[in-house]
Amino acid sequence: MKVFINKTHNGDLSLEEERYVFNYLKDSKELVSLSMPIRDSSWVSKKLHPIFEMNMPEGSLKDVIKNHFAKLQKMDDINLLRLIGPYMLGRVKFNEIIDTNDSLELDDIIKSDKVDLFEELMQRFAIRSGVSGVQPKLLLQAHNKNTMKFEHFIVKSFESIYPNLALNEYFCMRAVKNAGLHTPEFYLSDDKSMFIMKRFDVDEDETYLGFEDMCVLTARQTEEKYDGSYEEITRVIKDIIPPHNRKKTLKIFFKAIVMNHLLQNGDGHLKNYGILYKHDYEDAKFAPIYDVITTTKYIKNDIPALKLGNAKLWFKEKTYKIFAKQSCGLSEKEYKDVVDECYDAIVQTKQEIFAYETNDADVRVFLDELVSCWKEEI
């Protein structure tokens, strides 16, 4: 199976004697992954290489695709890649390159009053949605009347066991943005059933940037996304981010951890942090913050997704302060500035929620409960 970087055939992936084998072409000039440098010898793995597995569908989206094609062929990893490979999120694609012009108006998604719009979109775009995650989500292209351009979006819905998840994510992301962290452009549909996020891995010239999450960068499979620690991520940052931008990135990462604590997000796993780059290490930078929700709204006694100091707990200030100093290299003042900015963001976003106008009594109850989950200090 051919492996492409953007639209250039860069190497070949095969399954040989129950091992996945990737070979770069002789004239390859682009890395498929920061963890897989160009070399003459094969990259061999018992499991699908993390960079190729990174954007494989999970959950309901995977079920839709598998159920639709199961009668035609066995839906194992290699055949799923053959099927959705041309449409995978990001710069790495498989099998062939297909340009699709099927698009919508962004306003038609945000303002639609169709009760089953997401299901309709699922049937239309599922096969083109090589994107990871358990939450139902789709990749699609939509025309943004504000920029007058066709842009790339991820559209998320939610299952009944997580009511108002789109609303939850919207206000958590508002808090993250209010804290001064870089986020993708995002929207909430008028009926509050969908969270829409502009993709951050598409360059202005419509080529795709390299993106690798911390599962890939720590050589883990998706199923291991809750393994590892915050300290391990700081080591990846120190190894990959260029020196001139390293301290700033560690500060950003620490602020994201503090916001996860205040928002009680227990799902900040390895796939929810990543590195963006155009060519290789020299232009690598931390990806925008994404996929932030208050998980304790649904799981009362939820805990953080990753370890800090060899445990998964909502720690007291002393532990975060030690981590900020020892792992992130922050001074006492820098630590205090970050924490104060996060506290201010929570207060500001709570005010936005209190001012949010809705005639739906259930939505108001949900928002009041969401706010009650949030912390205003460590």
Side-chain angles (χ1 to χ4, degrees):
M1 178 165 50
K2 293 180 179 180
V3 177
F4 292 83
I5 301 296
N6 283 303
K7 296 186 178 182
T8 302
H9 181 201
N10 205 56
D12 296 295
L13 176 68
S14 59
L15 181 60
E16 302 173 12
E17 297 178 352
E18 298 185 354
R19 289 176 180 265
Y20 293 92
V21 180
F22 174 74
N23 290 294
Y24 280 103
L25 299 182
K26 293 293 184 184
D27 58 350
S28 294
K29 294 182 175 60
E30 293 279 350
L31 302 170
V32 295
S33 170
L34 295 172
S35 60
M36 294 169 64
I38 296 171
R39 67 184 191 188
D40 292 334
S41 55
S42 302
W43 286 95
V44 182
S45 176
K46 291 182 180 179
K47 294 184 177 181
L48 189 60
H49 305 76
I51 186 63
F52 302 143
E53 192 228 15
M54 180 175 72
N55 290 320
M56 293 278 277
E58 301 173 70
S60 59
L61 178 57
K62 187 174 184 178
D63 290 340
V64 168
I65 296 171
K66 289 182 74 171
N67 291 339
H68 190 76
F69 291 94
K71 290 182 179 180
L72 302 178
Q73 60 186 21
K74 181 182 178 182
M75 281 288 98
D76 55 12
D77 283 350
I78 199 75
N79 281 327
L80 192 57
L81 268 185
R82 287 193 179 100
L83 184 64
I84 66 170
Y87 312 103
M88 293 285 276
L89 183 151
R91 70 197 278 269
V92 180
K93 292 180 171 57
F94 305 86
N95 223 17
E96 59 182 319
I97 296 296
I98 299 175
D99 290 319
T100 58
N101 297 314
D102 193 2
S103 59
L104 305 164
E105 288 290 328
L106 180 59
D107 274 1
D108 289 343
I109 303 172
I110 296 173
K111 299 181 182 301
S112 175
D113 57 3
K114 288 186 178 180
V115 175
D116 58 351
L117 177 61
F118 187 81
E119 289 303 316
E120 182 181 313
L121 294 174
M122 179 75 87
Q123 294 302 319
R124 183 171 167 185
F125 292 99
I127 189 62
R128 307 176 204 172
S129 296
V131 55
S132 67
V134 175
Q135 187 179 348
K137 63 183 75 170
L138 297 166
L139 299 178
L140 52 80
Q141 192 176 53
H143 183 257
N144 187 340
K145 70 178 184 182
N146 294 322
T147 63
M148 298 303 291
K149 294 180 180 179
F150 285 95
E151 297 174 336
H152 302 263
F153 295 89
I154 297 174
V155 180
K156 301 181 186 180
S157 182
F158 58 88
E159 296 173 332
S160 58
I161 56 173
Y162 301 120
N164 289 305
L165 187 59
L167 198 62
N168 185 331
E169 183 165 3
Y170 176 78
F171 278 111
C172 284
M173 290 297 291
R174 284 292 308 158
V176 169
K177 187 172 183 179
N178 288 337
L181 287 165
H182 182 39
T183 69
E185 190 176 306
F186 59 88
Y187 307 88
L188 178 70
S189 64
D190 285 358
D191 67 358
K192 305 170 190 64
S193 69
M194 291 180 289
F195 180 84
I196 301 111
M197 184 183 84
K198 184 178 175 181
R199 287 174 55 179
F200 53 75
D201 64 331
V202 184
D203 214 350
E204 291 181 1
D205 62 0
E206 287 293 300
T207 60
Y208 293 92
L209 299 171
F211 171 77
E212 298 183 29
D213 62 36
M214 291 296 166
C215 267
V216 174
L217 296 170
T218 59
R220 288 185 170 94
Q221 302 292 122
T222 294
E223 63 192 23
E224 300 170 293
K225 63 187 178 183
Y226 294 106
D227 296 346
S229 66
Y230 294 128
E231 290 92 343
E232 192 171 1
I233 293 178
T234 64
R235 290 194 289 272
V236 171
I237 290 171
K238 291 170 185 176
D239 285 343
I240 290 177
I241 299 296
H244 71 275
N245 201 28
R246 196 171 295 156
K247 176 70 176 287
K248 179 182 177 182
T249 302
L250 289 166
K251 190 174 181 180
I252 290 169
F253 177 57
F254 178 66
K255 181 180 277 190
I257 292 173
V258 175
M259 288 304 296
N260 275 343
H261 176 105
L262 299 178
L263 294 169
Q264 295 289 279
N265 174 28
D267 206 39
H269 51 67
L270 291 174
K271 293 190 72 63
N272 285 344
Y273 301 104
I275 300 292
L276 276 175
Y277 60 94
K278 194 173 184 71
H279 298 294
D280 53 31
Y281 297 92
E282 292 185 5
D283 57 26
K285 61 182 180 180
F286 206 56
I289 305 301
Y290 57 95
D291 283 5
V292 180
I293 61 169
T294 298
T295 60
T296 56
K297 175 64 187 74
Y298 310 108
I299 307 168
K300 184 177 180 181
N301 296 315
D302 201 15
I303 59 175
L306 299 174
K307 291 180 181 178
L308 175 61
N310 221 22
K312 293 185 179 183
L313 298 169
W314 301 114
F315 288 102
K316 301 297 184 183
E317 183 177 25
K318 181 180 177 181
T319 304
Y320 289 113
K321 190 176 288 188
I322 292 171
F323 172 76
K325 180 180 179 180
Q326 294 184 352
S327 294
C328 301
L330 302 188
S331 67
E332 181 77 22
K333 182 180 184 307
E334 288 170 327
Y335 167 83
K336 187 176 185 307
D337 287 345
V338 166
V339 171
D340 286 346
E341 287 165 7
C342 292
Y343 292 165
D344 289 346
I346 293 295
V347 172
Q348 180 181 345
T349 312
K350 282 186 174 183
Q351 291 172 347
E352 290 179 14
I353 290 175
F354 295 146
Y356 183 74
E357 295 183 3
T358 177
N359 295 320
D360 190 323
D362 290 338
V363 167
R364 177 47 59 193
V365 169
F366 174 84
L367 289 175
D368 289 344
E369 291 174 349
L370 183 70
V371 164
S372 70
C373 292
W374 292 3
K375 310 296 181 184
E376 290 191 9
E377 61 180 17
I378 296 174

